[in-house]
Amino acid sequence: MNTDLAALAKQLVAPGKGILAADESHPTIEKRFQSVGVVSTEQTRRVYRELLCATPGLSEFISGVILFDETVRQKTSAGIPIPEMLAGAGIIPGIKVDRGAKALANFPGEKVTEGLDGLRERFAEYTQFGARFAKWRAVISIGEKTPTDFCIEANAHALARYASLAQEAGLVPIVEPEILMKGRHSIERCFEVTVATFEAVFVALFAHKVRLEEMLLKPSMVIAGQDCPRQSNVRQVAEATLLCLRETVPAAVPGIVFLSGGQSDELATAHLNAMNEINSAPWELSFSFGRALQSPALKAWHGDPSQIAAAQDALLHRARMNNAARRARYSEALERSELYAH
Ligand code: 13P
């Protein structure tokens, strides 16, 4: 075992802290910017990501930030490389290394994540830029005849190849199999697909000799499709998600860092809180949210330089709420009182 990597994985899920995912690809950030009327350019992306990373006090609640390839190479307005600024503030810089989910040939409607070619060399470069952990996202969608076993296997294999290369390079891999919320499927169907996916992922991780103590799992929650007429309550989602994880995830994994996947920011926090309340897990239950941490900040900023402090306040508020959820102390009342206090 590499004790440094195991310690780093634990540090990323230190009590009360979670990860900020700010690693949107160009098409994704363009979509997010469009929603608030901002044109996505190298400059606007830099300004926005600098404001997120430079939020005063962020390190109290945020252990690490996942950056995109472009951001890891960018400098702040004061000329400091962004990863260096993060490290200086006590936040661990991470890097998204996959190159996106692409159509899986011969499997209509299914995707496989690309980016393995040349990954060893890219890891060497990212280490030079200061990245200490990495992320690779696999996407599984639920339809009438999907996912196929083949699609799950192909994605599990790629995740395991990535994770072993990350550990070889001295980075903690975040292994992210996301079951999309898009669709009309029930929570029971999501449970079934999630169990099958996580099983395949851990079989592949074992086969590739990935050291479980030195990685984190970034899963989606077990939840009904967004167009399903029957939606579960917070407690039901928390229970189904924990049951699914207990059935499939070895206790040697130090932490689970959930993605938010399009849930509203407050609902994602409520689900995380409920899981920590049930507290029947051998792993730290934490977050690695993108939208659920950033949305209010993005809206507050909307490209206006005079709103940077307001945007940072909005990010800090969500980070604080998720810190409360990690301690099972989140509530509607806390959400409102804290919101008005800032
Ligand atoms: P969301 O929390 O917005 O799903 O983003 C997390 C992420 O990193 C997706 O890959």
Side-chain angles (χ1 to χ4, degrees), residues 4 46 72 109 128-129 147 152 211 219 291 310:
D4 289 348
R46 190 191 61 70
V72 93
Q128 297 288 314
F129 282 116
I152 291 177
R211 296 178 300 273
R291 282 161 286 181

Side-chain angles (χ1 to χ4, degrees), residues 21 23 135 137 176 218 259-261 288-291:
D23 60 332
K135 183 194 103 171
R137 171 175 177 255
E176 179 181 10
K218 173 164 175 168
L259 61 92
S260 58
S288 171
F289 294 156
R291 282 161 286 181

Side-chain angles (χ1 to χ4, degrees), residues 237-310:
V237 169
E239 281 174 357
T241 303
L242 281 178
L243 180 62
C244 170
L245 292 169
R246 276 200 305 274
E247 286 189 4
T248 53
V249 182
V253 174
I256 310 281
V257 291
F258 291 100
L259 61 92
S260 58
Q263 296 179 36
S264 77
D265 45 8
E266 293 183 16
L267 189 57
T269 308
H271 285 144
L272 180 65
N273 186 73
M275 285 189 264
N276 278 297
E277 218 167 56
I278 297 168
N279 192 21
S280 61
W283 335 269
E284 293 293 330
L285 293 172
S286 185
F287 57 93
S288 171
F289 294 156
R291 282 161 286 181
L293 276 169
Q294 290 185 45
S295 293
L298 179 63
K299 275 193 207 107
W301 173 61
H302 63 271
D304 182 347
S306 74
Q307 295 304 311
I308 286 182

Side-chain angles (χ1 to χ4, degrees), residues 48-324:
Y48 174 62
R49 282 158 170 166
E50 177 180 346
L51 89 80
L52 295 178
C53 294
T55 296
L58 195 64
S59 66
E60 198 181 334
F61 314 115
I62 297 295
S63 55
V65 177
I66 314 174
L67 302 169
F68 186 60
D69 179 85
E70 177 185 71
T71 324
V72 93
R73 303 163 193 275
Q74 282 173 326
K75 294 194 166 100
T76 65
S77 44
I80 303 166
I82 288 185
E84 195 179 309
M85 180 196 65
L86 281 171
I91 298 175
I92 305 164
I95 180 78
K96 167 199 178 77
V97 301
D98 68 71
R99 292 204 151 140
K102 306 286 161 63
L104 181 59
N106 293 331
F107 289 80
E110 298 197 285
K111 291 188 165 173
V112 67
T113 303
E114 295 189 349
L116 289 170
D117 286 358
L119 187 53
R120 178 176 277 123
E121 291 71 25
R122 287 168 58 221
F123 268 132
E125 194 190 7
Y126 290 139
T127 311
Q128 297 288 314
F129 282 116
R132 300 182 61 205
F133 70 101
K135 183 194 103 171
W136 177 289
R137 171 175 177 255
V139 181
I140 303 290
S141 54
I142 304 183
E144 241 170 73
K145 298 202 173 117
T146 58
T148 59
D149 291 347
F150 184 82
C151 174
I152 291 177
E153 291 296 332
N155 277 291
H157 180 263
L159 275 169
R161 284 211 40 214
Y162 138 79
S164 47
L165 280 166
Q167 290 183 341
E168 180 191 273
L171 284 85
V172 167
I174 294 188
V175 172
E176 179 181 10
E178 174 172 6
I179 318 299
L180 294 180
M181 275 168 60
K182 212 165 138 223
R184 290 178 53 83
H185 54 270
S186 64
I187 188 170
E188 290 82 8
R189 177 94 175 105
C190 179
F191 183 92
E192 205 177 274
V193 169
T194 310
V195 166
T197 303
F198 293 179
E199 266 175 19
V201 166
F202 280 97
V203 166
L205 292 171
F206 278 123
H208 290 247
K209 303 188 178 180
V210 173
R211 296 178 300 273
L212 301 182
E213 296 83 353
E214 300 166 28
M215 62 161 273
L216 297 172
L217 181 72
K218 173 164 175 168
S220 39
M221 298 178 195
V222 174
I223 191 165
Q226 60 199 16
D227 299 325
C228 177
R230 188 167 50 88
Q231 292 292 327
S232 312
N233 63 33
V234 168
R235 183 79 186 185
Q236 287 164 333
V237 169
E239 281 174 357
T241 303
L242 281 178
L243 180 62
C244 170
L245 292 169
R246 276 200 305 274
E247 286 189 4
T248 53
V249 182
V253 174
I256 310 281
V257 291
F258 291 100
L259 61 92
S260 58
Q263 296 179 36
S264 77
D265 45 8
E266 293 183 16
L267 189 57
T269 308
H271 285 144
L272 180 65
N273 186 73
M275 285 189 264
N276 278 297
E277 218 167 56
I278 297 168
N279 192 21
S280 61
W283 335 269
E284 293 293 330
L285 293 172
S286 185
F287 57 93
S288 171
F289 294 156
R291 282 161 286 181
L293 276 169
Q294 290 185 45
S295 293
L298 179 63
K299 275 193 207 107
W301 173 61
H302 63 271
D304 182 347
S306 74
Q307 295 304 311
I308 286 182
Q312 292 177 329
D313 274 355
L315 172 63
L316 204 61
H317 172 70
R318 287 262 49 87
R320 190 183 282 111
M321 293 302 99
N322 286 300
N323 160 279

